[in-house]
């Protein structure tokens, strides 16, 4: 009973801290804090390299890891860091996976690697009694060392940043929709993208100020100065010639939904895969989108599949040759307001794209085709309006 009360008190505290810091932080303060942290991060990375980031190897490799492949890969790459590690994270739970990542970081810090972590405060709302910030006051030796280690700096930020990014030694960038928590390893279907090349690091750390000159692989960001999620997604949807496949856990943006309906009547094959239920909120908003697509879209060209259980995937595939994936959801706040990082892959013969197409085919086979629009009562419509 005492343990349950302690967990409840800790959970309420995490929700309160995240909500207060988000609601009452001044926009100007958020911007100043973000750029200060960005500058500090860039300096830390540059100081621990053998040369400037621009002079690092131009070698480029893109790999995609799916589901339980992801966290072992993250841990391996973090464990190989020689100079610096930077992490931007939305949710970080004090559980098996959260402690595993903390242990790896401590080992590298003991070896002299500089570790900088930006933890988004609003993510605390979803951490409940396992919230990351409360570990600062835990008696557990792991967390005591973690929070006091001279090589580890933890910034508790209020930038409304939904991105999940790892940068290793200034030349390797990992982006994903996976938060640091055990359900993202064991239960939630999702993707991790591994990008090798200093230009990705430069573009991310500049908030998108440095142009991306890549043709087959491009990093897209939402930051204070650049909002690239909606323009990229709308360009892909409106220029699709044959097919659009979407696998998204949250889809409710009106412009995206109306464009999908319109493109289906223009002869483009539309396939949407969305979960039967969501891990947090947005279920009724998803189901309202499903109902609208099935009712108004072309019966011939538009299909909606419900994936069994839950997933956290966020991927758009156009004409089997262009894929866009990362942290951004197909909801208005994610496309226009929150900090996000995605990667745009182009070229039908890329190894990463081939793997994505194979996974999507398997996900469709697992899913149930929606043959009629779901019917809602007034309460469900009200919940959907509030994006619940």
């Amino acid at each position: 009973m005492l343990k349950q009360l302690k967990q409840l008190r800790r959970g309420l505290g995490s929700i309160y801290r995240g909500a207060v810091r988000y609601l009452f932080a001044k926009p100007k303060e958020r911007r100043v804090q973000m750029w200060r942290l960005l500058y500090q991060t860039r300096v830390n990375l540059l100081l621990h390299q053998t040369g400037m980031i621009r002079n690092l190897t131009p070698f480029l490799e893109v790999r995609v890891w799916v589901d339980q492949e992801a966290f072992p890969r993250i841990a391996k790459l973090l464990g190989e860091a020689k100079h610096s590690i930077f992490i931007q994270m939305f949710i970080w739970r004090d559980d098996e996976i959260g402690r595993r990542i903390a242990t790896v970081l401590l080992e590298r810090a003991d070896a002299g690697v500089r570790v900088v972590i930006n933890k988004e405060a609003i993510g605390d709302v979803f951490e409940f009694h396992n919230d990351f910030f409360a570990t600062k006051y835990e008696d557990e030796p792991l967390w005591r060392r973690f929070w006091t280690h001279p090589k580890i700096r933890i910034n508790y930020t209020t930038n409304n940043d939904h991105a999940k990014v790892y940068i290793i030694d200034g030349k390797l960038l990992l982006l994903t929709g996976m938060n640091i928590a055990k359900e993202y390893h064991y239960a939630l279907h999702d993707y991790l993208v591994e990008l090798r090349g200093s230009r990705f690091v430069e573009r991310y750390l500049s908030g998108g100020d440095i142009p991306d000159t890549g043709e087959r692989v491009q990093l897209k960001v939402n930051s204070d100065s650049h909002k690239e999620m909606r323009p990229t997604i709308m360009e892909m949807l409106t220029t699709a010639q044959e097919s659009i496949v979407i696998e998204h856990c949250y889809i409710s943006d009106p412009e995206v939904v109306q464009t999908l309906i319109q493109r289906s009547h223009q002869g483009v094959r539309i396939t949407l895969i969305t979960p039967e239920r969501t891990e947090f909120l947005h279920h009724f908003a998803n189901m309202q989108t499903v109902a609208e697509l099935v009712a108004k879209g072309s019966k011939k060209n538009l299909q909606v599949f419900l994936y069994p259980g839950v997933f956290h995937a966020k991927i758009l595939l156009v004409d089997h040759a262009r894929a866009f994936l990362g942290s951004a959801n197909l909801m208005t706040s994610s496309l226009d307001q929150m900090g996000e990082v995605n990667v745009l892959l182009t070229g039908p013969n890329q190894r990463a794209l081939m793997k994505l197409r194979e996974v999507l085919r398997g996900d469709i086979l697992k899913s149930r085709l929606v043959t009629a629009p779901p019917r809602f009562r007034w309460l469900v419509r009200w919940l959907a309006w509030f994006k619940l």
Side-chain angles (χ1 to χ4, degrees):
M1 184 64 179
L2 289 176
K3 182 178 180 181
Q4 292 174 337
L5 288 174
K6 181 181 178 181
Q7 290 179 343
L8 176 61
R9 184 171 64 251
R10 181 173 169 179
L12 292 174
S14 68
I15 293 173
Y16 173 78
R17 281 194 303 274
V20 168
R21 288 179 69 93
Y22 175 70
L23 291 173
F24 295 101
K26 297 178 180 179
K28 184 176 180 180
E29 291 177 351
R30 292 181 187 174
R31 289 194 296 272
V32 170
Q33 184 184 34
M34 186 190 75
W35 286 111
R36 183 183 296 118
L37 294 176
L38 179 62
Y39 173 79
Q40 292 171 343
T41 301
R42 292 199 65 167
V43 169
N44 284 326
L45 287 171
L46 290 169
L47 287 176
H48 290 87
Q49 304 305 314
T50 56
M52 294 293 288
I53 289 181
R54 290 184 184 277
N55 296 325
L56 291 173
T57 174
F59 176 76
L60 170 64
E61 180 183 11
V62 181
R63 301 184 70 178
V64 173
W65 306 87
V66 184
D67 299 339
Q68 293 190 24
E69 298 175 339
F71 278 105
R73 184 63 177 174
I74 292 171
K76 179 180 184 298
L77 294 173
L78 290 175
E80 295 173 351
K82 299 295 189 298
H83 308 293
S84 60
I85 294 171
F86 168 76
I87 298 176
Q88 171 69 52
M89 193 53 53
F90 189 68
I91 294 173
W92 187 328
R93 286 209 178 100
D94 177 18
D95 60 16
E96 172 190 335
I97 295 297
R99 289 188 291 272
R100 178 180 179 184
I101 296 299
T103 300
V104 174
L105 295 176
L106 265 176
E107 291 173 353
R108 299 319 300 147
D110 287 341
V113 174
R114 179 70 176 174
V115 178
V116 177
I117 299 167
N118 283 3
K119 172 62 177 67
E120 181 60 40
I122 192 175
D124 289 7
V125 173
F126 305 100
E127 292 167 12
F128 308 112
H129 65 274
N130 294 118
D131 69 296
F132 175 78
F133 186 74
T135 61
K136 185 176 182 179
Y137 308 101
E138 288 291 299
D139 293 330
E140 188 174 345
L142 166 67
W143 291 119
R144 282 207 310 271
R145 289 193 62 231
F146 190 82
W147 282 90
T148 59
H149 200 289
K151 286 290 185 178
I152 298 177
R153 188 173 80 241
I154 303 168
N155 303 308
Y156 198 52
T157 62
T158 54
N159 299 321
N160 198 22
D161 197 332
H162 185 246
K164 298 92 177 173
V165 174
Y166 306 78
I167 296 175
I168 300 170
D169 292 339
K171 58 185 178 181
L172 173 61
L173 187 146
L174 308 176
L175 66 91
T176 180
M178 299 180 182
N179 292 289
I180 298 177
K182 65 180 182 181
E183 64 266 30
Y184 293 91
H185 178 60
Y186 293 110
L188 299 179
H189 177 39
D190 208 344
Y191 302 87
L192 168 74
V193 183
E194 178 181 332
L195 301 175
R196 293 184 179 269
S198 60
R199 68 182 177 91
F200 300 118
V201 175
E202 288 184 300
R203 185 154 215 276
Y204 172 73
L205 292 179
S206 73
D209 287 343
I210 296 176
D212 194 326
T213 57
E215 296 181 0
R216 300 181 65 184
V217 186
Q218 296 183 9
L219 195 73
K220 301 293 183 179
V221 301
N222 268 8
S223 65
D224 274 6
S225 57
H226 295 271
K227 304 294 182 186
E228 298 177 336
M229 295 303 135
R230 183 180 295 278
T232 303
I233 287 172
M234 295 311 300
E235 189 276 335
M236 293 179 72
L237 296 181
T238 55
T239 60
Q241 298 297 308
E242 298 178 357
S243 64
I244 297 171
V245 180
I246 296 175
E247 182 174 72
H248 261 261
C249 53
Y250 306 129
I251 174 167
S252 62
D253 181 75
E255 184 180 15
V256 170
V257 174
Q258 291 305 313
T259 302
L260 291 175
I261 293 171
Q262 179 183 9
R263 296 312 319 272
S264 74
H265 288 290
Q266 293 171 346
V268 178
R269 299 190 307 277
I270 311 293
T271 302
L272 170 65
I273 313 165
T274 198
E276 286 185 331
R277 56 188 177 87
T278 60
E279 77 274 23
F280 292 127
L281 306 174
H282 218 76
H283 170 73
F284 298 109
N286 276 3
M287 291 304 102
Q288 185 180 58
T289 295
V290 169
E292 188 171 1
L293 290 174
V294 174
K296 299 180 181 179
S298 165
K299 306 298 181 186
K300 177 182 177 182
N301 294 321
L302 193 150
Q303 290 184 313
V304 177
F305 292 89
L306 294 182
Y307 186 90
V310 297
F311 68 63
H312 200 246
K314 306 165 181 64
I315 179 170
L316 167 63
L317 177 66
V318 170
D319 294 335
H320 306 290
R322 290 188 292 163
F324 193 53
L325 68 159
S327 65
N329 294 299
L330 293 181
M331 47 195 290
T332 304
S333 60
S334 182
L335 297 180
D336 299 332
Q337 300 164 13
M338 303 184 79
E340 304 284 5
V341 181
N342 273 34
V343 63
L344 176 62
L345 307 177
T346 304
N349 297 320
Q350 280 200 55
R351 178 175 58 177
L353 269 169
M354 294 172 67
K355 182 171 184 176
L356 290 173
R357 291 196 298 265
E358 179 182 354
V359 173
L360 288 171
R361 282 194 292 268
D363 292 345
I364 290 173
L365 293 174
K366 297 175 187 175
S367 303
R368 173 173 60 87
L369 178 66
V370 179
T371 57
R375 294 185 177 182
F376 302 128
R377 297 186 178 183
W378 67 270
L379 177 60
V380 173
R381 295 177 188 274
W382 182 77
L383 293 172
W385 188 81
F386 278 100
K387 306 304 179 188
L388 298 175

